[in-house]
Amino acid sequence: MSCKYTALLQSVLLATLRRPPTPRPRACGAARRTSFSRCSSLRAGSSSAAGRVLPSPRVCAVNVQILDREDRWFERGAREACKSTTPHSTEVEASDTTYIRPIVLPFHPSPGKPLNGVRRSCQVWGHHIYPLPTTHGRFTLRTHSCGELRTAHLGEEVTLCGWVQYVRQDLFQPFMSVSPVMVTPACSCLTHVSSAILTGEIEVHANNVEVLNICQKLPFEIKDFVKKSEGLRMQYRYLDLRSSQMQYNLRLRSRLVMKMREYLCNLHGFVDVETPTLFKRTPGGAKEFVVPSGEPGRFYSLPQSPQQFKQLLMVAGIDRYFQLARCYRDEGSKPDRQPEFTQVDIEMSFTDQAGIRDLVEGLLQYSWPEEKGFVSPPFPVMTYEEAMRDYGVDKPDTRFEMKLVDISGAFHNTQIQFLREALHQPGGSIQAICVPQGAVSSTHMHFSFSHLPSDNFGPCRPLLGRLRLQCADLLEGHSVKVRDPSAFHFLWVVDFPLFLPKEDSPEQLESAHHPFTAPVPEDAHLLYSQPHKVRGQHYDLVLNGSEIGGGSIRIHSASEQRHVLDTVLQEDPSLLSHLLEALDSGAPPHGGIALGLDRLLAIIVGASSIRDVIAFPKSFRGHDLMSHAPDFVSEEDLRPYHIKVTWPEGLTPGGEDQ
């Protein structure tokens, strides 16, 4: 006999969220419907569903009560997609085939309303109910968290667990009250009610306190206003993570990731697939980490990204792939980089640039933290040539103007020798930056002139791009507002060159993005005659002057991919024989993107470094200051891998440079 539940949904409007309706899933080819959950008795027009199923042009909060077969009631908070704000009730009968999908959407009860019984949260999406995490008390020894208590809890008995921050002995002790404590009004025992903290109106009277553990004097105080060096913070990362800012950063990261999963997997039918970490060397790209295999002379490589695997998944018919991928790049001591990082990796079959951009814009809009404002697609689109011409960089910060201006016309008859020489060279020009209120710091600014080739922007244009940013820094150093730190300006940059000259060998070409990027259709014929003039179907997503994502439409023809590797890039195609064979197996047109999760979060929270949004990051040199990794390995441990270390002159095991 099937187990049935009767649910009474009585909407109580609490707040209307300013979020546009989430677009419905799109299908390629014939019309198809993506199922997000099995809820067979909850369908529009179904005889087993009493009441009405409403469309979802706006979102409002409702209370949901569910009665199980033992007649026990549980109060639940929810958000229901509803057509109007008029309170209504819907009675639903769900069969035992109903599946419940977890998501993260915060529910805040009405001020002053006590939490009676077990409170849970869920979302009603269309006709599907998704439960949310319970309160802090469930599964643990406490009933509430310390910062959760309000005047709504007056008179309740609570059990709290946590750390004591201020005691007379100057210790920092974790504690748990083994017996309940009574919450009483602050005004009955305090002469002053603190409005600076959310718990300032209540006070907890403890019946008993048990110290669970003690600690020695800490290397620094766990207070936000106490300044610590970054080295000290990383050495004692487990203490630094107790700070309110780091707690907020990591919890925001968790919420953002959960919302991204909900949008991609539950709403748009993406499949979360894990790809291998041990792989082989990839031609081109960044320097890779190698891992010994135990076979003489054979090594694995840690992947820079799951690029080849996600293309193979498209050949396999997965159609829509998604993964929170760990990536590894040995980039030495580049500023604000990490040897291991996380990216939101996405790939789709039968798509184009516009489809990828629409997907990513919807993803960011859906997962964007509400306390940070709202994201409004579509994002502006700028070509690579426009970005370099106006801003001097391919990832411009569009929060302020100060574009590069060609003032060559004003110097046609100049008698200044070096300006005349610049103008007489092929493609030479004179560029300037219009700096508003720049006179306040003109004594600190130094300008230089140089010719800028017209066919490619050469080395001078990026110098002007950096000068533009330095001008903004100087102005802000003199209290001139240039960039709004609370603003978020997204920008798509498209039409990049497919190939660029190598720095060490300018007569040879290398991929501007990676060797799997397809040319734009208009330039496809130039791939076999003038590859240096080909534009690629590569697109970057820029936020406030930082690249937070990059992707492309891929080459799905094996012959074209082989020509790019062998003829244009002069790479050995046998290194990618598995991919070439897969493309020859009827690969569909496909494309994707990878979003840098660490960089995105750092910009959202206003962190100065991506290390502030990673739980256990590496230092500037790629070291773990807490565990002292990387570490030395003895000759005995290296012997099974057939590896012997030859020390450079001046170095000794365990020592530094002599």
Side-chain angles (χ1 to χ4, degrees):
M1 182 176 181
S2 64
C3 171
K4 298 200 173 184
Y5 299 82
T6 303
L8 179 64
L9 280 67
Q10 183 176 5
S11 74
V12 180
L13 179 62
L14 300 179
T16 300
L17 305 182
R18 299 179 182 175
R19 179 180 292 160
T22 304
R24 297 297 185 186
R26 295 185 302 177
C28 178
R32 62 187 183 190
R33 181 169 178 260
T34 302
S35 176
F36 307 129
S37 66
R38 292 183 59 195
C39 197
S40 58
S41 64
L42 303 181
R43 292 177 181 165
S46 173
S47 60
S48 61
R52 48 190 179 140
V53 177
L54 301 174
S56 55
R58 60 191 312 178
V59 177
C60 65
V62 301
N63 285 337
V64 177
Q65 290 181 319
I66 296 181
L67 177 66
D68 69 5
R69 59 180 171 180
E70 296 181 7
D71 295 336
R72 294 178 302 187
W73 286 93
F74 294 89
E75 292 187 4
R76 301 190 181 192
R79 289 176 180 167
E80 179 181 3
C82 59
K83 184 175 182 180
S84 66
T85 59
T86 305
H88 65 277
S89 64
T90 301
E91 185 173 332
V92 176
E93 182 175 322
S95 71
D96 57 349
T97 60
T98 300
Y99 284 176
I100 303 298
R101 297 290 183 90
I103 62 169
V104 173
L105 281 175
F107 171 74
H108 304 286
S110 300
K113 181 178 179 180
L115 300 176
N116 299 322
V118 180
R119 177 171 294 278
R120 302 187 67 187
S121 298
C122 65
Q123 182 193 29
V124 180
W125 171 259
H127 51 261
H128 306 295
I129 300 176
Y130 304 100
L132 291 179
T134 59
T135 58
H136 290 280
R138 197 173 183 190
F139 312 124
T140 62
L141 300 175
R142 58 174 170 242
T143 60
H144 299 77
S145 67
C146 298
E148 183 182 355
L149 300 177
R150 301 290 186 274
T151 55
H153 304 90
L154 295 180
E156 292 187 19
E157 293 185 348
V158 299
T159 302
L160 305 177
C161 302
W163 286 267
V164 175
Q165 188 163 6
Y166 303 102
V167 293
R168 297 189 181 208
Q169 292 83 5
D170 197 24
L171 297 177
F172 192 95
Q173 301 174 343
F175 81 96
M176 184 197 75
S177 59
V178 294
S179 58
V181 294
M182 188 68 67
V183 180
T184 57
C187 58
S188 64
C189 52
L190 297 177
T191 58
H192 175 68
V193 175
S194 175
S195 59
I197 57 176
L198 297 176
T199 57
E201 295 183 280
I202 58 96
E203 185 178 76
V204 177
H205 286 187
N207 295 332
N208 188 27
V209 175
E210 178 184 355
V211 176
L212 299 178
N213 202 354
I214 62 174
C215 70
Q216 301 302 319
K217 185 176 180 62
L218 298 178
F220 52 82
E221 293 185 90
I222 313 297
K223 299 175 183 177
D224 291 336
F225 58 83
V226 175
K227 300 298 182 183
K228 290 89 65 177
S229 67
E230 188 168 22
L232 191 64
R233 290 177 57 202
M234 296 183 66
Q235 182 179 357
Y236 299 96
R237 191 62 167 183
Y238 46 87
L239 298 178
D240 183 55
L241 292 178
R242 291 183 186 176
S243 68
S244 59
Q245 184 62 56
M246 290 303 300
Q247 288 278 320
Y248 171 78
N249 292 352
L250 294 185
R251 295 178 189 277
L252 178 65
R253 183 186 184 115
S254 176
R255 282 163 37 205
L256 187 74
V257 167
M258 288 299 295
K259 292 289 289 179
M260 287 181 169
R261 288 188 185 276
E262 167 71 12
Y263 180 84
L264 292 171
C265 297
N266 289 357
L267 300 185
H268 290 281
F270 278 76
V271 183
D272 189 348
V273 182
E274 297 178 358
T275 54
T277 300
L278 297 177
F279 194 41
K280 61 182 294 185
R281 190 182 75 84
T282 302
K287 187 179 178 182
E288 298 174 335
F289 291 100
V290 296
V291 180
S293 68
E295 299 182 33
R298 292 181 177 268
F299 294 84
Y300 296 105
S301 286
L302 300 183
Q304 303 176 38
S305 73
Q307 179 60 48
Q308 296 181 50
F309 288 111
K310 62 183 179 180
Q311 290 192 241
L312 295 173
L313 288 172
M314 297 302 102
V315 180
I318 294 299
D319 192 69
R320 297 185 178 194
Y321 147 89
F322 151 74
Q323 180 186 188
L324 282 173
R326 297 292 288 173
C327 304
Y328 308 88
R329 296 178 186 176
D330 187 3
E331 297 185 304
S333 57
K334 289 187 177 181
D336 204 21
R337 297 287 182 92
Q338 286 286 294
E340 51 181 332
F341 55 95
T342 305
Q343 67 183 28
V344 183
D345 207 43
I346 297 172
E347 195 81 4
M348 280 198 303
S349 295
F350 307 107
T351 189
D352 56 11
Q353 292 192 52
I356 297 293
R357 294 203 300 264
D358 288 346
L359 173 75
V360 173
E361 290 171 0
L363 172 67
L364 291 172
Q365 183 184 34
Y366 186 86
S367 59
W368 195 257
E370 295 180 5
E371 65 269 26
K372 297 297 181 179
F374 301 95
V375 173
S376 301
F379 300 156
V381 180
M382 182 182 299
T383 66
Y384 169 82
E385 184 176 355
E386 292 171 341
M388 294 299 294
R389 180 194 66 202
D390 295 339
Y391 299 95
V393 292
D394 58 2
K395 48 184 178 181
D397 188 345
T398 56
R399 288 176 296 173
F400 66 106
E401 287 292 326
M402 291 173 55
K403 295 182 180 180
L404 307 184
V405 181
D406 190 336
I407 57 173
S408 303
F411 291 91
H412 275 316
N413 299 320
T414 182
Q415 299 302 315
I416 303 176
Q417 183 64 27
F418 73 94
L419 293 181
R420 293 178 60 186
E421 292 177 355
L423 290 175
H424 281 85
Q425 294 194 28
S429 65
I430 299 174
Q431 304 285 326
I433 302 174
C434 180
V435 182
Q437 305 182 47
V440 297
S441 56
S442 60
T443 58
H444 303 283
M445 296 185 181
H446 303 276
F447 296 91
S448 61
F449 297 86
S450 181
H451 75 280
L452 300 176
S454 58
D455 53 346
N456 55 37
F457 294 106
C460 299
R461 184 73 62 167
L463 293 177
L464 291 175
R466 288 196 291 270
L467 178 61
R468 174 178 176 268
L469 296 177
Q470 290 176 2
C471 291
D473 293 338
L474 285 171
L475 290 173
E476 290 174 340
H478 287 78
S479 302
V480 178
K481 185 177 180 181
V482 179
R483 294 165 290 197
D484 184 357
S486 63
F488 298 98
H489 284 217
F490 288 93
L491 173 70
W492 288 105
V493 180
V494 300
D495 289 348
F496 285 81
L498 188 58
F499 306 108
L500 293 173
K502 287 186 176 181
E503 292 185 4
D504 52 349
S505 301
E507 67 281 357
Q508 297 182 354
L509 296 177
E510 63 182 358
S511 297
H513 185 43
H514 58 56
F516 315 113
T517 301
V520 298
E522 298 83 359
D523 296 349
H525 65 284
L526 298 175
L527 188 62
Y528 300 90
S529 58
Q530 297 175 300
H532 61 282
K533 293 185 177 181
V534 178
R535 294 168 297 164
Q537 295 193 63
H538 169 206
Y539 34 83
D540 278 353
L541 181 58
V542 179
L543 174 58
N544 292 357
S546 295
E547 178 189 338
I548 62 168
S552 66
I553 302 300
R554 324 299 185 188
I555 298 174
H556 65 277
S557 167
S559 60
E560 186 174 297
Q561 183 67 78
R562 189 176 289 105
H563 171 77
V564 169
L565 291 171
D566 189 13
T567 306
V568 180
L569 300 178
Q570 300 180 10
E571 295 280 359
D572 184 3
S574 64
L575 296 174
L576 295 170
S577 58
H578 56 285
L579 180 62
L580 295 173
E581 291 175 1
L583 296 180
D584 253 338
S585 302
H590 57 281
I593 194 171
L595 300 177
L597 182 62
D598 307 315
R599 184 80 56 195
L600 173 62
L601 276 161
I603 296 175
I604 291 177
V605 302
S608 59
S609 169
I610 61 174
R611 290 187 284 269
D612 287 336
V613 295
I614 301 174
F616 298 99
K618 302 294 189 296
S619 70
F620 178 75
R621 295 178 59 191
H623 291 188
D624 184 345
L625 302 183
M626 182 180 63
S627 65
H628 306 291
D631 204 355
F632 294 97
V633 179
S634 67
E635 292 184 4
E636 182 180 356
D637 292 334
L638 289 175
R639 191 172 297 116
Y641 300 104
H642 310 281
I643 296 176
K644 184 177 181 180
V645 177
T646 301
W647 293 97
E649 184 179 355
L651 282 179
T652 58
E656 299 293 336
D657 292 319
Q658 298 298 319

